[in-house]
Amino acid sequence: MDTTLLCLLALVTTVGAVGNYGTFASPANNASLKFRYWLPDASVDTDTVSRDIEEAGAIGAGGVEFLGIYNYGGSLAPQPAGADWATYGFGTPAFNKILKASLQTAKNAGMVYDFALGPNQGQGVPAETTDEGLHWDLAPFNVSIPSNGSYNGRIPGWGTGELVSLVSARVVSSSIIVNPASSLFSTPANNATRLVLATGSLADHTHEVTTNGTVSLAFNVTEQARYHLFAYYQYQDLVKNLDIEENSTGTIFDNGSYTVDHFSGRGAQTTINFWENYILNDTDIKELLQEVGRYGWEDSIEIKSNISWSPCIPDVFEQINGYQLRKYIPLVMYGNNNPGVQPSYPGTLQCVLDSEDQGEGYINDFRAALEKGYQGYLDTLTSWLEGLGLGYSAQISYNLPLNMEGNVNQVDAPECESLAFNNNLDGYRQFSGVANVAQKEVISNEMGADLERAFALPISELLGQINTAFAGGINQIVLHGQSFTGDYYETTWPGYTSFFMLFAESYYSKQPAWAHGFSDAINYVSRNQYVLHVGQPRTDVALYNGVSMTNPQLETLYSSNDMIRAGYTYIYLSPANLNLSQAYVSDGLLAPEAPAYKAIVVTSEQNVTLAGVKALQNYANAGLPVILSGGLPGYYPSGAATDQAAVYAALETLNKSRNVYTTGNGEVASKLEQLNLPPRVAVQTNGTWYPVLRTDNSTDYVYIFSKDSSSEGYITVSSIETPYLFDSWTGKTTPLLHYQTASNTTMIPLRLAANQTIVLAFNSRLKSEVATPSLHAVRLPSNVLGYNYTTTNSLLLHTSTDVCSDCIFQLSNGTTHNLAVNTTTPTTTLTNWTLIAEHWEAPSNMSDASIQAAKRNTTHHLDTLVSWLDIPALQNASGLGYYSASFTWPPTSSSNIDGAYLTLPPIAQGIRVFVNGNNVGPLDLTNPKVDIGPYLTTGANHVTAIVPTMMWNYIRSIFGEIEISGIAPLLSDPLPDRVGNGLIGEVKVIPYTTLHYVI
Ligand SMILES: *[C@@H]1O[C@H](CO)[C@@H](O)[C@H](O)[C@H]1NC(C)=O
């Protein structure tokens, strides 16, 4: 064997630190993956919590997001026997003690620490029930006016709360409508009534109500003219995000935590007051938070209401809309509570007008007022946390009847989630656009809460979801989540599992993958995050999205794939986003600092306001191409919709203006190409590739994700700087060998496996840090398996001895070499495997949840590598597979063999591979392949692979014995199927010849 190969493995380069994100090879903790950490309650063993956090840091996590979960606030199960959530609730002295210890642990480990602002989702805190900052609801009541036309007496619902409005209206017609069922929330379809009201007939009677709640009203009722009376009362429903059934301590903590008003700054103030008075009054905690804390955090908004409300809404409404809300509440009472978590319960009565827009303009205005109130909530928390030297991270608005895009920029680190976004890349585009324009450093994602996948979500699938989020503009993953490993009340092994196994996943040392490959996946994610943090994003196209409410399912808005096929990157911006100071046009680019959109697109499905058309007109005047796709957009009404004609006239003017273009549905890409606006990373492939481009002063970083299928093709990048390959699995930086340059572009051929990603960096100055040849290949035969370049050895090509169809290796100076070989050396497929299965099982005492696992071994002989489902003794097993096989080297006596690559099948849950005892290093799970030349010896060679399994098949087999916090897991029969485990497929040794070129 060519001994110089031994030296090549040291080709590890650290590329200089950018910002405070560390290096690509070793990203700083604040650019690395984090875990959401679920604390069952504050009574649990503090040392175990500290050890859990240390262990997360030890396998590469940059930090934790610390959250007291309390059985999902008591809503999935009450506190178990023995627990005392009043004494050990959020913000209690006991809680503060464990908070302090965990902060100290994070500090010692150099980790980043985020913390929920309250228990469960952070929606509220312990409070006095008289606190005006607690959640408000608006209760609706209605009654038909009797046929004699007079209504004398108590108004409906009197006594429910403070009367906000009493309104009458003439009813034109009435019908039954169906509120949809929801499979996610297991709620049935149900009927509601729809009333069509006569436009102009709404009358406000609020001031006619006596202090006893009576009115005396008369209407001219006829067969054709029936009347209806509507009454609305605001009240605090004292809904809790931590519910406790028993009182025990006689303190503010007895009642758990009350959800606060999310439509006013006053609600935020209740949270702040609690923190200041009960947590930050401990100066140690305050100092630790300022040292290691990064974000105060809040989960998605899961507050239920009749109608989203705060007492400030009427004033806010009048202030921004110029008229009073009171009379129009009947028009906004339906579908304006929490569409995300109450999909089957938008209301039992929907009122619309008999006008052209059916009263939609009033709904739009109401949502605008809610949005203003919500921003007051977000701004108050943001200012407070920033004042502490921290930041606010929150899952922004997407359950609520608001345009999410108008709110994302209100916090320091906006967060979304793979669950609510259904892993839909286009949903992420709706989230990340404004965050990019507002130059948010972090766009976060709660990743991997997959329904009914607990213990059964392969890491490879998780990485596919993560890469989808990255392709959609996300750059921070917070894994859902890390579980406490110790004992808890009425809880068996494997321990306290949040959401009672409804959602994936428990990441902890009880997972066989935790110490056997998971760190490779974490490092891979963190290195990609590093690339997605540095510099600034560059995105080709912005799409206008002027809805009053984001669909809670985050469905795809631009459904044509023309832009994706060409490599155009795009996101969505709401009209409000266009008012951001960064959203100006310069040199034909929108938001020129970042992301520098080359055009804005308005599809005909959109509705626009006069202000929206004016913004587009200003952009066109300033030189930004405005593309109207599929026809002119429609009208977005406000109030009584009096400006409709003006909007259509403005659209006509826009349509005739310079820099404004029209195109057909789904033909944006061809229009852009016509306008000589190519994608920054042009794509040609037989699969689907999603590029992400970031750029700093010196380097363009291109991340490419090949979704779903293996594919080949090439990308064309607008740079002629030297390209480097940044390997996110190993952290190594190497010069790219094969590409072609034209006047201003570099074309790079690529072949990618399903769900594989690649990172390329373009920067000629990296030559000073990374050994770089002065020539590159413009033609590279298919039999080149790999290459190495060092200054001492120049280029070493590893070629297989396979027959090649085009064997010409051509360098950029024009010299050519024929790489055809005459002697073929066969690839060896390893067979005759020994599998030692290390079973990780429950301890004999099931109630000992603190044990990692009881372990025992079985041995199996396998001719071929099949799933554990096909090995009867391992169908219900979980643990580690130690696979070993041998092969003889060299395979033939021919002298032209210098080494070999080891290739493995795609890996689901992680792997560690050893050749003759040498760890070959991290492998790309989508396409495992490694040069094992340096480890080969003449004669017998041994390959060992350690393969962790998912836990589900074993958990499933003992399912009936599992108890979590006093109840059985919440998965019902039939349980999800068993999952495939182990090393499945072929492992091959592919010999190569080393060819040496001085370039
Ligand atoms: C809903 O309305 C339909 C049609 O009026 C009726 O047949 C059905 O029974 C109603 N369902 C419920 C749950 O009331």
Side-chain angles (χ1 to χ4, degrees):
M1 189 182 78
D2 183 343
T3 51
T4 58
L5 278 178
L6 285 169
C7 316
L8 297 174
L9 289 140
L11 188 74
V12 182
T13 334
T14 51
V15 170
V18 181
N20 54 350
Y21 306 129
T23 60
F24 172 73
S26 182
N29 278 336
N30 68 358
S32 297
L33 174 146
K34 298 176 187 174
F35 283 109
R36 179 181 293 189
Y37 183 81
W38 291 300
L39 180 77
D41 78 32
S43 71
V44 300
D45 180 51
T46 307
D47 291 343
T48 304
V49 172
S50 290
R51 198 182 58 233
D52 289 346
I53 294 172
E54 283 165 8
E55 284 180 352
I59 65 160
V64 290
E65 180 182 271
F66 192 77
L67 168 63
I69 184 75
Y70 299 91
N71 293 356
Y72 197 35
S75 67
L76 290 178
Q79 66 180 7
D84 176 359
W85 288 354
T87 304
Y88 297 97
F90 179 81
T92 57
F95 180 89
N96 291 345
K97 193 162 158 272
I98 213 160
L99 177 69
K100 199 188 299 188
S102 60
L103 276 161
Q104 189 64 51
T105 302
K107 182 184 168 186
N108 296 346
M111 294 169 78
V112 175
Y113 192 96
D114 298 342
F115 52 99
L117 292 174
N120 188 4
Q121 317 92 336
Q123 282 175 183
V125 288
E128 303 293 345
T129 54
T130 51
D131 191 319
E132 283 185 2
L134 301 187
H135 178 248
W136 290 83
D137 199 354
L138 187 65
F141 292 87
N142 71 93
V143 64
S144 303
I145 300 294
S147 53
N148 67 7
S150 61
Y151 187 93
N152 292 306
R154 275 279 159 80
I155 61 171
W158 181 256
T160 303
E162 182 189 343
L163 180 69
V164 171
S165 97
L166 180 72
V167 179
S168 68
R170 183 158 62 81
V171 177
V172 175
S173 65
S174 162
S175 58
I176 299 287
I177 55 172
V178 178
N179 294 329
S182 162
S183 52
L184 180 60
F185 295 97
S186 305
T187 47
N190 60 89
N191 286 345
T193 303
R194 184 175 198 260
L195 297 181
V196 178
L197 306 178
T199 304
S201 76
L202 277 72
D204 178 13
H205 303 287
T206 315
H207 297 298
E208 297 165 48
V209 180
T210 67
T211 50
N212 297 327
T214 59
V215 282
S216 188
L217 300 170
F219 300 90
N220 189 12
V221 173
T222 66
E223 190 82 350
Q224 287 75 36
R226 296 177 294 117
Y227 282 82
H228 220 78
L229 195 60
F230 305 89
Y232 301 93
Y233 304 88
Q234 64 184 13
Y235 68 105
Q236 288 178 290
D237 58 4
L238 301 182
V239 63
K240 296 177 190 180
N241 55 317
L242 170 51
D243 200 6
I244 304 179
E245 286 174 0
E246 285 170 61
N247 291 356
S248 55
T249 64
T251 71
I252 191 176
F253 303 111
D254 274 359
N255 295 316
S257 286
Y258 290 102
T259 298
V260 300
D261 178 6
H262 278 53
F263 295 103
S264 75
R266 181 63 190 82
Q269 197 58 50
T270 291
T271 297
I272 294 169
N273 292 346
F274 179 81
W275 272 84
E276 295 287 354
N277 295 331
Y278 291 93
I279 301 179
L280 298 181
N281 57 339
D282 181 328
T283 50
D284 290 349
I285 292 183
K286 191 167 180 172
E287 279 169 23
L288 279 166
L289 274 176
Q290 290 175 330
E291 274 182 88
V292 298
R294 181 118 202 247
Y295 299 119
W297 169 84
E298 185 174 346
D299 207 340
S300 56
I301 296 169
E302 295 166 14
I303 311 166
K304 293 175 186 166
S305 306
N306 288 292
I307 302 166
S308 290
W309 191 252
S310 168
C312 71
I313 290 299
D315 285 346
V316 172
F317 184 98
E318 188 168 357
Q319 200 188 348
I320 62 175
N321 296 312
Y323 65 96
Q324 291 195 346
L325 167 66
R326 235 177 8 239
K327 200 163 76 172
Y328 302 102
I329 297 181
L331 301 174
V332 306
M333 65 189 284
Y334 183 86
N336 283 312
N337 45 6
N338 189 326
V341 301
Q342 298 175 282
S344 302
Y345 304 106
T348 55
L349 180 64
Q350 181 186 38
C351 294
V352 299
L353 292 181
D354 61 355
S355 63
E356 188 186 337
D357 80 337
Q358 303 192 326
E360 195 73 31
Y362 299 103
I363 296 176
N364 291 341
D365 290 353
F366 177 65
R367 289 174 176 170
L370 284 179
E371 182 158 297
K372 195 88 181 158
Y374 177 57
Q375 291 178 358
Y377 174 82
L378 297 177
D379 291 349
T380 304
L381 285 169
T382 299
S383 307
W384 169 65
L385 285 160
E386 286 180 354
L388 290 167
L390 302 164
Y392 183 32
S393 178
Q395 298 191 356
I396 297 297
S397 104
Y398 44 77
N399 284 338
L400 297 174
L402 306 175
N403 185 340
M404 172 182 81
E405 292 160 35
N407 304 302
V408 166
N409 56 312
Q410 301 290 319
V411 302
D412 299 291
E415 183 168 277
C416 56
E417 56 174 303
S418 61
L419 172 66
F421 281 56
N422 295 308
N423 289 306
N424 183 6
L425 200 155
D426 202 68
Y428 295 130
R429 293 190 182 108
Q430 296 165 45
F431 195 83
S432 63
V434 60
N436 282 338
V437 172
Q439 299 188 11
K440 298 296 173 190
E441 187 183 349
V442 167
I443 308 173
S444 183
N445 183 294
E446 171 202 328
M447 174 53 65
D450 289 25
L451 186 64
E452 301 194 345
R453 299 294 296 279
F455 299 110
L457 179 66
I459 288 167
S460 58
E461 189 177 333
L462 177 73
L463 294 180
Q465 295 182 13
I466 289 172
N467 287 323
T468 301
F470 287 162
I474 301 307
N475 71 355
Q476 172 70 58
I477 295 300
V478 183
L479 277 189
H480 180 279
Q482 187 181 357
S483 290
F484 171 71
T485 57
D487 283 313
Y488 191 61
Y489 302 101
E490 297 192 286
T491 298
T492 63
W493 192 90
Y496 187 84
T497 308
S498 71
F499 299 98
F500 299 86
M501 295 196 200
L502 269 179
F503 298 94
E505 182 60 285
S506 278
Y507 297 108
Y508 49 17
S509 53
K510 293 169 189 169
Q511 286 275 0
W514 181 263
H516 299 93
F518 197 25
S519 62
D520 294 348
I522 290 175
N523 292 337
Y524 162 79
V525 171
S526 297
R527 291 190 187 111
N528 284 336
Q529 286 189 180
Y530 168 89
V531 167
L532 300 172
H533 270 72
V534 294
Q536 292 287 349
R538 286 286 176 267
T539 308
D540 295 322
V541 177
L543 285 103
Y544 183 101
N545 183 29
V547 294
S548 67
M549 175 184 133
T550 297
N551 180 329
Q553 298 305 312
L554 277 302
E555 279 165 5
T556 297
L557 296 179
Y558 187 79
S559 52
S560 303
N561 68 357
D562 61 313
M563 286 199 279
I564 295 166
R565 288 199 59 73
Y568 284 104
T569 53
Y570 57 94
I571 50 73
Y572 300 89
L573 294 177
S574 80
N577 302 157
L578 307 183
N579 297 328
L580 288 172
S581 62
Q582 299 94 338
Y584 64 96
V585 170
S586 173
D587 286 337
L589 299 170
L590 171 60
E593 291 156 33
Y597 306 110
K598 295 178 170 191
I600 189 165
V601 174
V602 189
T603 65
S604 58
E605 290 128 45
Q606 286 294 316
N607 294 320
V608 292
T609 60
L610 199 51
V613 187
K614 277 190 181 144
L616 295 168
Q617 183 73 58
N618 288 340
Y619 284 159
N621 296 349
L624 179 74
V626 175
I627 297 176
L628 305 173
S629 160
L632 291 185
Y635 167 68
Y636 182 97
S638 168
T642 50
D643 62 350
Q644 187 166 2
V647 169
Y648 283 129
L651 274 174
E652 287 302 335
T653 306
L654 177 72
N655 194 18
K656 292 192 204 104
S657 302
R658 195 167 45 92
N659 298 322
V660 178
Y661 308 93
T662 55
T663 189
N665 263 324
E667 293 173 5
V668 171
S670 55
K671 176 57 74 178
L672 288 165
E673 270 152 18
Q674 234 178 62
L675 296 172
N676 199 20
L677 297 170
R680 289 182 171 95
V681 179
V683 160
Q684 272 185 287
T685 173
N686 56 2
T688 307
W689 291 355
Y690 293 99
V692 178
L693 172 65
R694 293 188 72 100
T695 186
D696 65 15
N697 300 333
S698 52
T699 313
D700 286 326
Y701 295 91
V702 177
Y703 160 98
I704 305 264
F705 172 42
S706 169
K707 199 166 164 61
D708 299 333
S709 60
S710 63
S711 49
E712 57 185 35
Y714 54 89
I715 59 167
T716 307
V717 180
S718 311
S719 173
I720 47 167
E721 296 278 315
T722 311
Y724 291 84
L725 183 63
F726 278 40
D727 185 329
S728 300
W729 287 99
T730 62
K732 290 177 193 173
T733 298
T734 51
L736 196 68
L737 180 62
H738 184 196
Y739 58 93
Q740 285 154 16
T741 52
S743 56
N744 288 313
T745 58
T746 302
M747 197 181 90
I748 298 169
L750 293 174
R751 187 185 296 261
L752 296 169
N755 283 327
Q756 192 171 17
T757 63
I758 194 171
V759 173
L760 299 165
F762 297 80
N763 180 356
S764 303
R765 278 185 279 163
L766 285 177
K767 279 174 195 162
S768 64
E769 297 173 51
V770 183
T772 306
S774 54
L775 299 174
H776 62 269
V778 295
R779 273 169 84 180
L780 194 68
S782 58
N783 66 341
V784 174
L785 294 171
Y787 60 89
N788 274 310
Y789 181 82
T790 57
T791 38
T792 40
N793 295 305
S794 202
L795 179 69
L796 300 175
L797 281 189
H798 299 158
T799 58
S800 78
T801 62
D802 290 351
V803 177
C804 46
S805 51
D806 173 7
C807 300
I808 302 301
F809 171 50
Q810 186 180 351
L811 288 162
S812 49
N813 65 356
T815 55
T816 58
H817 305 272
N818 190 336
L819 305 192
V821 282
N822 24 28
T823 340
T824 302
T825 310
T827 287
T828 307
T829 300
L830 301 187
T831 56
N832 199 14
W833 289 86
T834 300
L835 165 60
I836 298 174
E838 183 178 280
H839 299 245
W840 290 27
E841 298 181 336
S844 51
N845 173 9
M846 269 296 277
S847 60
D848 187 354
S850 68
I851 250 166
Q852 184 196 33
K855 298 176 185 173
R856 68 182 173 88
N857 288 352
T858 57
T859 302
H860 311 264
H861 293 282
L862 307 175
D863 289 333
T864 56
L865 295 168
V866 296
S867 167
W868 287 24
L869 291 177
D870 298 322
I871 304 170
L874 299 181
Q875 281 181 350
N876 290 332
S878 165
L880 294 171
Y882 290 84
Y883 290 81
S884 53
S886 299
F887 63 95
T888 303
W889 187 258
T892 62
S893 57
S894 74
S895 57
N896 66 338
I897 296 305
D898 300 304
Y901 282 83
L902 185 73
T903 65
L904 298 101
I907 303 297
Q909 189 69 350
I911 190 165
R912 285 276 147 83
V913 175
F914 301 83
V915 174
N916 297 328
N918 301 287
N919 185 342
V920 304
L923 296 173
D924 183 339
L925 300 189
T926 66
N927 186 25
K929 175 185 166 196
V930 62
D931 178 8
I932 58 168
Y935 314 124
L936 294 173
T937 57
T938 303
N941 286 260
H942 305 284
V943 176
T944 303
I946 306 175
V947 180
T949 70
M950 287 171 269
M951 290 171 73
W952 174 240
N953 297 354
Y954 178 69
I955 295 281
R956 192 179 187 274
S957 74
I958 59 161
F959 198 77
E961 298 168 55
I962 294 175
E963 188 181 25
I964 302 164
S965 194
I967 65 167
L970 289 174
L971 292 173
S972 49
D973 274 333
L975 291 176
D977 285 342
R978 292 191 187 94
V979 291
N981 280 317
L983 189 55
I984 309 166
E986 293 191 327
V987 175
K988 295 178 184 170
V989 176
I990 306 172
Y992 64 73
T993 300
T994 301
L995 303 173
H996 184 211
Y997 300 94
V998 177
I999 60 173

